[in-house]
Amino acid sequence: MEEEKLHIEKYIDEYPFRQYILEDKSQYKRAKDLGYNDPNDLFLVGESGGFLMDIEVGDKFVNTHLLHEMADFYNANGKYTFYKEDSIPHRQLRKREEYRRSHGYEAPCFMRNGEVRQLHISGDMYNYLNYIIIEQLDEKTIIHTDRGSVAKKKQDFPKFIDAQFWTFAIIEFVELNGLHLLIDKTRRGGFSYIMASHSANKINLQPNKVCIHVAADSKYLTKRGGLTDFTIKNLYFYENNTFFKRGILIRSDENFTLGFKLPNGDISPKSWNSALFSASANNNPDCAIGKDAISVKTEEVSTMENFDDYMNVTEPAMRTGSYVTGNLFAWGTATSGNMQVFERNFYNPKKFHFMAFENVWDKDSRNEVCGYFKPYCWGLQGQIGDMYAMDKDGNSNIDIGLRIAYKERKEKKDSSKSFADYINYLGQYANMPSESFSSTTENIFTSEKLLLWEETLKNDNTYHFYTDGKFVEEENNVIFKSNERIRKEGGKLNVDYYDWIEGVPRKSHEHPHGCVRKWFNPIKITGIGIPVGQYSISYDPVGVDKEKDAITNKHSHNSIKVWENPTQYNGFKTKLVCAYYGRPEKLEEADWICYLMARYYNCIGTTGVEVNRGETVRNFTKWKALKYLMKDPVELWDNSVKAKASATYGINMGGGAGQAGVGTKVLEGLRLLKEMLYSEVGKNELGQPIYVFQTIYDYQTILELKKWNSKGNFDRVSEMIIRALQWRLTDIQAAKELSHRKKATVNNYKDDILSRGWY
């Protein structure tokens, strides 16, 4: 119990977003001082170049009931006013409220350093608090039991919540500065309500305007609880319950238009004529262009595999010349699909002019930028005992939110039917973007043990014993030079040496070349040197040359690993000893790295390279180095083959089509890879089994295994399939040797066992 308490406290203390809130922010420049339009002075700019929310420890929202007085009046009286319709006071009230819905509202609702200040909320937030009905918690129905707390929901106006205040402030900043917004969200964040209210507010306030809703499948928009469904309900509320009536011209979900017709059936020239379009981007990335929208909202980006194609045509359509005339908002939550496209864009927000935030949510990521992330623990309604995660004015207690999240995770882990269910839950209720993008519901490689190993490699410094550098040829010998040595010799970063690529996938600021990471030097035996067969290489090359400026994080990268094989020289152990990941401009450069690694570790006949792409065999032929290349293990695919003397160099992973268009050899390779990774290769000091994946000290490889799915681009997994084939081939060859070995008897030897030669 005491150990768990310490673990919770450590979890809270090390949470990056909490650490950001607690830190001194006086060193940061204010966005308004750098030329950004920030009239309410809410944003800073960090050293990464990304924006920061100016949240200080001790900040507190007070008197927030002043921000939703119209909603309180409606709840008390069933209407917004007792003024006679179209009377002068009625018209004045309507104009006042339209102004507030458009320009925002101020009230003495913010406390900093013990002083109450005026708080500005955006027009969209004022509209949200006073003119939108949502399904929300009915606090009067909360019942506490020994097993937890239960409650019911009710239809009501939203409450003021600090996390939602910042979401609306960000939306306003985006609109004032001609940016777009990409959001990685968790469940219970209220984003569908917020974005639906934003669309409804725009359409109802401004005539002759268009808002467009887009999703991979229109069902995400128009089904009950979808973005368009919420928006249309909001528009009906304006028509039936407020003084903002515009008339409804077309009631279609795909083209909902405000306005009215004349008695003769013609559309009135005074018709409001603002519309909400809903479209599916599935096989149609052009669906949002040509309608001159002031707002385009893209729901469930995590399911939209053609998001890049969609953005390539849609983002330019939000401009007229050099002027931004519309804003694009996109968001998503962890799903079982291919999260790579979403992840690439989230960690490279500037590519499509999304607002770039300094990454205060992931661990050790303050030098990086990302999209906007709303963690589960912030703006969370809940309690532990008599401690609440949010007070009556909407202020979050992140420490309590983290405790609730920790408790819920533990309960989910204990109750989940499968490990996949548990890690999918982590993605749905993430406190860091990395948790969101690492989640999956179906992955043949994941397990609780692999997840624990990933966390260990990430956080335990005792496993960070590698050296980064490169192999070079000097006087016909191959030596390893560390990046530190090259730097001290006057070498320049990204010219003479390169950093290890940390991102999975590679982050936009990381140089695509990458470097070699070495954990272990080769074993050298007196009188033998490095034994042949002691090491093997697995190599998955890229297919074409590409200039570095044209290489993006969605392109394939070369992945090369050197593995130590189990022999009598190492106590029959195995482990990863060296790796390279990156993409030089020329294919030959990557092949040369592999060639030097093969020489350094004496991988004669054990360098396995996939030859369905690239030019490795041709390059090794040119360098008179074919002896290092492994021949195609055809006996893996055809057990009638007795030998592989006629096999070609390299490994051909082509073959008949399997599921989802994946070759049957690749499917078999994936199966063999899982079998290899979970092969037991020893015991630890507690007598627990050690698996092959626990001999892989490359954090990025383990993370890629965790993220793998059948649709994404996973270079390290593709490369390790080669290793799995080598692993299986060793078993086949051992079985053949065993079948031809003579049975040991005393007569096999001149005398007896004592006459045998010693090793």
Side-chain angles (χ1 to χ4, degrees), residues 56-64 109-113 115-117 119 160 391 393 395:
E56 293 281 359
V57 61
D59 285 353
K60 188 176 182 181
F61 295 97
V62 296
N63 305 319
T64 56
C109 298
F110 184 64
M111 180 181 290
R112 175 169 284 183
N113 299 326
E115 176 187 350
V116 176
R117 307 180 182 186
L119 175 73
F160 179 91
D391 67 17
D393 281 302
N395 295 287

Side-chain angles (χ1 to χ4, degrees), residues 40 141 213 229 234 245 280 320 326 375 378 454 496 513 532 583 588 597-598 623 712 721:
N40 304 301
T141 67
H213 291 172
D229 176 59
N234 295 341
K245 297 176 176 64
S280 168
T320 300
W378 189 36
E454 182 252 330
D496 303 299
H513 188 287
V532 173
R583 183 157 185 168
E588 186 172 340
M597 294 170 86
W623 300 327
I721 289 177

Side-chain angles (χ1 to χ4, degrees), residues 379-564:
L380 176 64
Q381 292 177 288
Q383 67 185 99
I384 295 181
D386 59 355
M387 298 183 297
Y388 289 84
M390 186 186 303
D391 67 17
K392 64 181 180 62
D393 281 302
N395 295 287
S396 295
N397 185 326
I398 288 186
D399 286 19
I400 302 301
L402 288 168
R403 292 180 190 278
I404 291 172
Y406 186 94
K407 179 175 178 289
E408 290 179 351
R409 289 178 178 202
K410 186 176 185 303
E411 291 173 351
K412 183 65 177 179
K413 185 177 180 181
D414 293 341
S415 63
S416 293
K417 294 182 179 179
S418 69
F419 182 68
D421 289 341
Y422 172 63
I423 59 174
N424 180 53
Y425 172 85
L426 293 184
Q428 301 277 314
Y429 299 94
N431 283 321
M432 304 178 196
S434 57
E435 291 178 337
S436 179
F437 293 118
S438 295
S439 68
T440 179
T441 55
E442 287 297 330
N443 182 329
I444 62 173
F445 303 119
T446 52
S447 69
E448 185 174 354
K449 296 183 180 68
L450 187 129
L451 183 64
L452 179 61
W453 183 240
E454 182 252 330
E455 284 292 321
T456 301
L457 291 179
K458 183 177 182 180
N459 300 316
D460 191 340
N461 289 331
T462 60
Y463 290 94
H464 301 172
F465 55 85
Y466 48 76
T467 303
D468 292 342
K470 67 179 181 180
F471 291 105
V472 297
E473 188 177 41
E474 290 188 357
E475 298 179 356
N476 207 32
N477 291 318
V478 178
I479 65 170
F480 180 78
K481 276 192 175 184
S482 69
N483 284 347
E484 181 66 16
R485 175 181 170 183
I486 298 170
R487 185 184 64 79
K488 289 180 178 179
E489 291 175 351
K492 295 181 179 179
L493 179 64
N494 296 336
V495 177
D496 303 299
Y497 70 99
Y498 303 88
D499 285 334
W500 179 257
I501 295 173
E502 301 281 352
V504 182
R506 179 177 63 82
K507 304 289 179 62
S508 59
H509 70 275
E510 295 180 297
H511 197 287
H513 188 287
C515 72
V516 171
R517 177 162 284 183
K518 180 163 70 74
W519 288 268
F520 300 99
N521 290 317
I523 293 173
K524 293 184 178 180
I525 307 300
T526 303
I528 298 177
I530 304 172
V532 173
Q534 187 66 47
Y535 297 96
S536 297
I537 287 177
S538 50
Y539 176 21
D540 181 46
V542 301
V544 295
D545 292 332
K546 192 173 287 287
E547 294 181 3
K548 66 177 184 300
D549 293 337
I551 300 172
T552 71
N553 51 10
K554 75 176 183 179
H555 288 108
S556 295
H557 291 64
N558 301 279
S559 183
I560 312 172
K561 286 188 178 67
V562 183
W563 307 83
E564 186 172 324

Side-chain angles (χ1 to χ4, degrees), residues 268-316:
S268 169
K270 296 182 179 180
S271 180
W272 198 253
N273 204 36
S274 285
L276 170 65
F277 289 99
S278 298
S280 168
N282 188 27
N283 300 320
N284 184 21
D286 302 345
C287 63
I289 64 174
K291 299 180 178 66
D292 196 23
I294 60 169
S295 174
V296 174
K297 295 187 174 69
T298 311
E299 174 81 277
E300 297 294 356
V301 176
S302 49
T303 65
M304 198 168 171
E305 294 185 20
N306 63 345
F307 183 69
D308 285 344
D309 296 332
Y310 162 78
M311 287 300 301
N312 281 328
V313 296
T314 306
E315 196 275 330

Side-chain angles (χ1 to χ4, degrees), residues 82-111:
F82 291 124
Y83 294 135
K84 183 179 179 180
E85 187 172 355
D86 211 30
S87 66
I88 292 177
H90 185 274
R91 277 182 277 170
Q92 288 175 334
L93 180 61
R94 186 187 72 238
K95 289 180 179 179
R96 187 197 78 178
E97 290 302 293
E98 285 182 340
Y99 182 87
R100 290 179 177 180
R101 288 175 57 212
S102 179
H103 297 91
Y105 178 63
E106 287 189 359
C109 298
F110 184 64
M111 180 181 290

